[in-house]
Amino acid sequence: GQNIDQPTEMTATEGAIVQINCTYQTSGFNGLFWYQQHAGEAPTFLSYNVLDGLEEKGRFSSFLSRSKGYSYLLLKELQMKDSASYLCAVNTGFQKLVFGTGTRLLVSP
Amino acid sequence: GAVVSQHPSRVICKSGTSVKIECRSLDFQATTMFWYRQFPKKSLMLMATSNEGSKATYEQGVEKDKFLINHASLTLSTLTVTSAHPEDSSFYICSADRPYSNQPQHFGDGTRLSIL
């Protein structure tokens, strides 16, 4: 089976830094993606990791360790608009994405 | 701008009705499209992979007679929810695999289906 786990909910304060973890056990691995999703909307692509290490993109960074089956998304300088669900997804092959359980992030003033 | 168009964005209909949702790739040809279902406060669940010119590949537990998928052209895939019932109410999202893109899939805006 495919297991991709994330914390269900997290809270943080505006201006702070938050790290959202994702652990995975999948039948195949061709890269890991992070998406942001606001309620009632489609997911928006944030980042992509296929090799181990850190990928930085403005306020967002994503890290991957393939040997540990682990990734995290780091959000810096949090803003109120960052309140959303964050989904990690594994490309298990042939462009097929399996999504994690999703993390709802609430940013408070 | 959007590269995948999904229509309609919202449907409300009576139990027993069949509902068709369209997913179009706007400026590229998509041999593969994907259909997802999402329940409130849950993550996306892959329902099926839509392959142009051949039968769709359904995930385990998804009824192929209930959720009919047609991918008759390189820019259009349709999902038909047949004889819909209240338990079929959900958010349905399609995506298309765009060649030479840094993203594996581009998502439509989703369809909110409500069965009364």
Side-chain angles (χ1 to χ4, degrees), chain B residues 8-23:
Chain B
S9 58
R10 185 172 182 103
V11 180
I12 302 173
C13 58
K14 295 180 179 179
S15 185
T17 307
S18 291
V19 178
K20 180 186 282 189
I21 304 170
E22 293 186 348
C23 183

mmCIF file with all atom_site columns, all heavy atoms in Angstrom, chain B residues 8-23:
data_model
loop_
_atom_site.group_PDB
_atom_site.id
_atom_site.type_symbol
_atom_site.label_atom_id
_atom_site.label_alt_id
_atom_site.label_comp_id
_atom_site.label_asym_id
_atom_site.label_entity_id
_atom_site.label_seq_id
_atom_site.pdbx_PDB_ins_code
_atom_site.Cartn_x
_atom_site.Cartn_y
_atom_site.Cartn_z
_atom_site.occupancy
_atom_site.B_iso_or_equiv
_atom_site.pdbx_formal_charge
_atom_site.auth_seq_id
_atom_site.auth_comp_id
_atom_site.auth_asym_id
_atom_site.auth_atom_id
_atom_site.pdbx_PDB_model_num
ATOM 1   N N   . PRO B 1 8  ? -18.639 21.902 -15.039 1.00 0.00 ? 8  PRO B N   1
ATOM 2   C CA  . PRO B 1 8  ? -18.958 23.157 -14.365 1.00 0.00 ? 8  PRO B CA  1
ATOM 3   C C   . PRO B 1 8  ? -18.216 23.281 -13.034 1.00 0.00 ? 8  PRO B C   1
ATOM 4   O O   . PRO B 1 8  ? -17.621 22.315 -12.567 1.00 0.00 ? 8  PRO B O   1
ATOM 5   C CB  . PRO B 1 8  ? -20.465 23.030 -14.125 1.00 0.00 ? 8  PRO B CB  1
ATOM 6   C CG  . PRO B 1 8  ? -20.667 21.552 -13.961 1.00 0.00 ? 8  PRO B CG  1
ATOM 7   C CD  . PRO B 1 8  ? -19.677 20.890 -14.877 1.00 0.00 ? 8  PRO B CD  1
ATOM 8   N N   . SER B 1 9  ? -18.265 24.444 -12.435 1.00 0.00 ? 9  SER B N   1
ATOM 9   C CA  . SER B 1 9  ? -17.599 24.644 -11.152 1.00 0.00 ? 9  SER B CA  1
ATOM 10  C C   . SER B 1 9  ? -18.493 24.170 -10.005 1.00 0.00 ? 9  SER B C   1
ATOM 11  O O   . SER B 1 9  ? -17.991 23.803 -8.940  1.00 0.00 ? 9  SER B O   1
ATOM 12  C CB  . SER B 1 9  ? -17.231 26.112 -10.955 1.00 0.00 ? 9  SER B CB  1
ATOM 13  O OG  . SER B 1 9  ? -18.391 26.922 -11.036 1.00 0.00 ? 9  SER B OG  1
ATOM 14  N N   . ARG B 1 10 ? -19.795 24.194 -10.242 1.00 0.00 ? 10 ARG B N   1
ATOM 15  C CA  . ARG B 1 10 ? -20.711 23.753 -9.193  1.00 0.00 ? 10 ARG B CA  1
ATOM 16  C C   . ARG B 1 10 ? -21.958 23.149 -9.822  1.00 0.00 ? 10 ARG B C   1
ATOM 17  O O   . ARG B 1 10 ? -22.480 23.672 -10.806 1.00 0.00 ? 10 ARG B O   1
ATOM 18  C CB  . ARG B 1 10 ? -21.101 24.920 -8.292  1.00 0.00 ? 10 ARG B CB  1
ATOM 19  C CG  . ARG B 1 10 ? -21.953 24.466 -7.115  1.00 0.00 ? 10 ARG B CG  1
ATOM 20  C CD  . ARG B 1 10 ? -22.204 25.529 -6.095  1.00 0.00 ? 10 ARG B CD  1
ATOM 21  N NE  . ARG B 1 10 ? -22.986 24.969 -4.996  1.00 0.00 ? 10 ARG B NE  1
ATOM 22  C CZ  . ARG B 1 10 ? -22.484 24.636 -3.815  1.00 0.00 ? 10 ARG B CZ  1
ATOM 23  N NH1 . ARG B 1 10 ? -21.217 24.849 -3.577  1.00 0.00 ? 10 ARG B NH1 1
ATOM 24  N NH2 . ARG B 1 10 ? -23.241 24.134 -2.878  1.00 0.00 ? 10 ARG B NH2 1
ATOM 25  N N   . VAL B 1 11 ? -22.405 22.053 -9.249  1.00 0.00 ? 11 VAL B N   1
ATOM 26  C CA  . VAL B 1 11 ? -23.620 21.390 -9.719  1.00 0.00 ? 11 VAL B CA  1
ATOM 27  C C   . VAL B 1 11 ? -24.458 20.998 -8.509  1.00 0.00 ? 11 VAL B C   1
ATOM 28  O O   . VAL B 1 11 ? -23.938 20.412 -7.562  1.00 0.00 ? 11 VAL B O   1
ATOM 29  C CB  . VAL B 1 11 ? -23.310 20.115 -10.535 1.00 0.00 ? 11 VAL B CB  1
ATOM 30  C CG1 . VAL B 1 11 ? -24.597 19.462 -10.997 1.00 0.00 ? 11 VAL B CG1 1
ATOM 31  C CG2 . VAL B 1 11 ? -22.411 20.417 -11.711 1.00 0.00 ? 11 VAL B CG2 1
ATOM 32  N N   . ILE B 1 12 ? -25.733 21.340 -8.595  1.00 0.00 ? 12 ILE B N   1
ATOM 33  C CA  . ILE B 1 12 ? -26.694 20.886 -7.581  1.00 0.00 ? 12 ILE B CA  1
ATOM 34  C C   . ILE B 1 12 ? -27.798 20.173 -8.335  1.00 0.00 ? 12 ILE B C   1
ATOM 35  O O   . ILE B 1 12 ? -28.415 20.749 -9.237  1.00 0.00 ? 12 ILE B O   1
ATOM 36  C CB  . ILE B 1 12 ? -27.270 22.063 -6.774  1.00 0.00 ? 12 ILE B CB  1
ATOM 37  C CG1 . ILE B 1 12 ? -26.146 22.846 -6.095  1.00 0.00 ? 12 ILE B CG1 1
ATOM 38  C CG2 . ILE B 1 12 ? -28.274 21.550 -5.738  1.00 0.00 ? 12 ILE B CG2 1
ATOM 39  C CD1 . ILE B 1 12 ? -26.616 24.125 -5.421  1.00 0.00 ? 12 ILE B CD1 1
ATOM 40  N N   . CYS B 1 13 ? -28.050 18.921 -7.992  1.00 0.00 ? 13 CYS B N   1
ATOM 41  C CA  . CYS B 1 13 ? -29.093 18.205 -8.719  1.00 0.00 ? 13 CYS B CA  1
ATOM 42  C C   . CYS B 1 13 ? -29.750 17.155 -7.830  1.00 0.00 ? 13 CYS B C   1
ATOM 43  O O   . CYS B 1 13 ? -29.282 16.879 -6.719  1.00 0.00 ? 13 CYS B O   1
ATOM 44  C CB  . CYS B 1 13 ? -28.537 17.574 -9.991  1.00 0.00 ? 13 CYS B CB  1
ATOM 45  S SG  . CYS B 1 13 ? -27.182 16.449 -9.693  1.00 0.00 ? 13 CYS B SG  1
ATOM 46  N N   . LYS B 1 14 ? -30.821 16.594 -8.368  1.00 0.00 ? 14 LYS B N   1
ATOM 47  C CA  . LYS B 1 14 ? -31.602 15.630 -7.599  1.00 0.00 ? 14 LYS B CA  1
ATOM 48  C C   . LYS B 1 14 ? -30.971 14.246 -7.662  1.00 0.00 ? 14 LYS B C   1
ATOM 49  O O   . LYS B 1 14 ? -30.270 13.898 -8.622  1.00 0.00 ? 14 LYS B O   1
ATOM 50  C CB  . LYS B 1 14 ? -33.027 15.559 -8.150  1.00 0.00 ? 14 LYS B CB  1
ATOM 51  C CG  . LYS B 1 14 ? -33.830 16.834 -7.982  1.00 0.00 ? 14 LYS B CG  1
ATOM 52  C CD  . LYS B 1 14 ? -35.229 16.651 -8.551  1.00 0.00 ? 14 LYS B CD  1
ATOM 53  C CE  . LYS B 1 14 ? -36.059 17.922 -8.374  1.00 0.00 ? 14 LYS B CE  1
ATOM 54  N NZ  . LYS B 1 14 ? -37.421 17.764 -8.958  1.00 0.00 ? 14 LYS B NZ  1
ATOM 55  N N   . SER B 1 15 ? -31.269 13.470 -6.666  1.00 0.00 ? 15 SER B N   1
ATOM 56  C CA  . SER B 1 15 ? -30.799 12.084 -6.607  1.00 0.00 ? 15 SER B CA  1
ATOM 57  C C   . SER B 1 15 ? -31.313 11.322 -7.821  1.00 0.00 ? 15 SER B C   1
ATOM 58  O O   . SER B 1 15 ? -32.461 11.495 -8.229  1.00 0.00 ? 15 SER B O   1
ATOM 59  C CB  . SER B 1 15 ? -31.309 11.453 -5.315  1.00 0.00 ? 15 SER B CB  1
ATOM 60  O OG  . SER B 1 15 ? -30.798 10.161 -5.162  1.00 0.00 ? 15 SER B OG  1
ATOM 61  N N   . GLY B 1 16 ? -30.453 10.516 -8.422  1.00 0.00 ? 16 GLY B N   1
ATOM 62  C CA  . GLY B 1 16 ? -30.819 9.736  -9.594  1.00 0.00 ? 16 GLY B CA  1
ATOM 63  C C   . GLY B 1 16 ? -30.361 10.353 -10.902 1.00 0.00 ? 16 GLY B C   1
ATOM 64  O O   . GLY B 1 16 ? -30.357 9.690  -11.948 1.00 0.00 ? 16 GLY B O   1
ATOM 65  N N   . THR B 1 17 ? -29.960 11.605 -10.852 1.00 0.00 ? 17 THR B N   1
ATOM 66  C CA  . THR B 1 17 ? -29.485 12.298 -12.050 1.00 0.00 ? 17 THR B CA  1
ATOM 67  C C   . THR B 1 17 ? -28.058 11.872 -12.369 1.00 0.00 ? 17 THR B C   1
ATOM 68  O O   . THR B 1 17 ? -27.274 11.552 -11.470 1.00 0.00 ? 17 THR B O   1
ATOM 69  C CB  . THR B 1 17 ? -29.511 13.816 -11.808 1.00 0.00 ? 17 THR B CB  1
ATOM 70  O OG1 . THR B 1 17 ? -30.802 14.208 -11.369 1.00 0.00 ? 17 THR B OG1 1
ATOM 71  C CG2 . THR B 1 17 ? -29.141 14.582 -13.068 1.00 0.00 ? 17 THR B CG2 1
ATOM 72  N N   . SER B 1 18 ? -27.730 11.870 -13.659 1.00 0.00 ? 18 SER B N   1
ATOM 73  C CA  . SER B 1 18 ? -26.341 11.654 -14.072 1.00 0.00 ? 18 SER B CA  1
ATOM 74  C C   . SER B 1 18 ? -25.710 13.015 -14.364 1.00 0.00 ? 18 SER B C   1
ATOM 75  O O   . SER B 1 18 ? -26.327 13.870 -14.987 1.00 0.00 ? 18 SER B O   1
ATOM 76  C CB  . SER B 1 18 ? -26.276 10.756 -15.299 1.00 0.00 ? 18 SER B CB  1
ATOM 77  O OG  . SER B 1 18 ? -26.671 9.445  -14.962 1.00 0.00 ? 18 SER B OG  1
ATOM 78  N N   . VAL B 1 19 ? -24.485 13.179 -13.932 1.00 0.00 ? 19 VAL B N   1
ATOM 79  C CA  . VAL B 1 19 ? -23.806 14.468 -14.045 1.00 0.00 ? 19 VAL B CA  1
ATOM 80  C C   . VAL B 1 19 ? -22.490 14.299 -14.790 1.00 0.00 ? 19 VAL B C   1
ATOM 81  O O   . VAL B 1 19 ? -21.697 13.409 -14.445 1.00 0.00 ? 19 VAL B O   1
ATOM 82  C CB  . VAL B 1 19 ? -23.518 15.065 -12.649 1.00 0.00 ? 19 VAL B CB  1
ATOM 83  C CG1 . VAL B 1 19 ? -22.777 16.379 -12.765 1.00 0.00 ? 19 VAL B CG1 1
ATOM 84  C CG2 . VAL B 1 19 ? -24.813 15.223 -11.860 1.00 0.00 ? 19 VAL B CG2 1
ATOM 85  N N   . LYS B 1 20 ? -22.250 15.148 -15.776 1.00 0.00 ? 20 LYS B N   1
ATOM 86  C CA  . LYS B 1 20 ? -21.002 15.073 -16.545 1.00 0.00 ? 20 LYS B CA  1
ATOM 87  C C   . LYS B 1 20 ? -20.127 16.273 -16.210 1.00 0.00 ? 20 LYS B C   1
ATOM 88  O O   . LYS B 1 20 ? -20.574 17.418 -16.230 1.00 0.00 ? 20 LYS B O   1
ATOM 89  C CB  . LYS B 1 20 ? -21.291 15.063 -18.049 1.00 0.00 ? 20 LYS B CB  1
ATOM 90  C CG  . LYS B 1 20 ? -20.016 14.979 -18.899 1.00 0.00 ? 20 LYS B CG  1
ATOM 91  C CD  . LYS B 1 20 ? -20.288 15.113 -20.379 1.00 0.00 ? 20 LYS B CD  1
ATOM 92  C CE  . LYS B 1 20 ? -20.830 13.848 -20.953 1.00 0.00 ? 20 LYS B CE  1
ATOM 93  N NZ  . LYS B 1 20 ? -20.906 13.898 -22.437 1.00 0.00 ? 20 LYS B NZ  1
ATOM 94  N N   . ILE B 1 21 ? -18.859 15.985 -15.949 1.00 0.00 ? 21 ILE B N   1
ATOM 95  C CA  . ILE B 1 21 ? -17.861 17.032 -15.660 1.00 0.00 ? 21 ILE B CA  1
ATOM 96  C C   . ILE B 1 21 ? -16.792 16.973 -16.742 1.00 0.00 ? 21 ILE B C   1
ATOM 97  O O   . ILE B 1 21 ? -16.293 15.894 -17.071 1.00 0.00 ? 21 ILE B O   1
ATOM 98  C CB  . ILE B 1 21 ? -17.223 16.804 -14.274 1.00 0.00 ? 21 ILE B CB  1
ATOM 99  C CG1 . ILE B 1 21 ? -18.295 16.748 -13.177 1.00 0.00 ? 21 ILE B CG1 1
ATOM 100 C CG2 . ILE B 1 21 ? -16.208 17.904 -13.974 1.00 0.00 ? 21 ILE B CG2 1
ATOM 101 C CD1 . ILE B 1 21 ? -17.770 16.293 -11.824 1.00 0.00 ? 21 ILE B CD1 1
ATOM 102 N N   . GLU B 1 22 ? -16.443 18.127 -17.273 1.00 0.00 ? 22 GLU B N   1
ATOM 103 C CA  . GLU B 1 22 ? -15.457 18.188 -18.344 1.00 0.00 ? 22 GLU B CA  1
ATOM 104 C C   . GLU B 1 22 ? -14.127 18.756 -17.848 1.00 0.00 ? 22 GLU B C   1
ATOM 105 O O   . GLU B 1 22 ? -14.102 19.666 -17.026 1.00 0.00 ? 22 GLU B O   1
ATOM 106 C CB  . GLU B 1 22 ? -15.960 19.079 -19.483 1.00 0.00 ? 22 GLU B CB  1
ATOM 107 C CG  . GLU B 1 22 ? -17.151 18.535 -20.221 1.00 0.00 ? 22 GLU B CG  1
ATOM 108 C CD  . GLU B 1 22 ? -17.522 19.389 -21.420 1.00 0.00 ? 22 GLU B CD  1
ATOM 109 O OE1 . GLU B 1 22 ? -16.990 20.511 -21.539 1.00 0.00 ? 22 GLU B OE1 1
ATOM 110 O OE2 . GLU B 1 22 ? -18.326 18.927 -22.251 1.00 0.00 ? 22 GLU B OE2 1
ATOM 111 N N   . CYS B 1 23 ? -13.072 18.241 -18.401 1.00 0.00 ? 23 CYS B N   1
ATOM 112 C CA  . CYS B 1 23 ? -11.722 18.705 -18.081 1.00 0.00 ? 23 CYS B CA  1
ATOM 113 C C   . CYS B 1 23 ? -10.981 18.902 -19.393 1.00 0.00 ? 23 CYS B C   1
ATOM 114 O O   . CYS B 1 23 ? -10.823 17.951 -20.164 1.00 0.00 ? 23 CYS B O   1
ATOM 115 C CB  . CYS B 1 23 ? -11.015 17.665 -17.215 1.00 0.00 ? 23 CYS B CB  1
ATOM 116 S SG  . CYS B 1 23 ? -9.354  18.141 -16.675 1.00 0.00 ? 23 CYS B SG  1
#
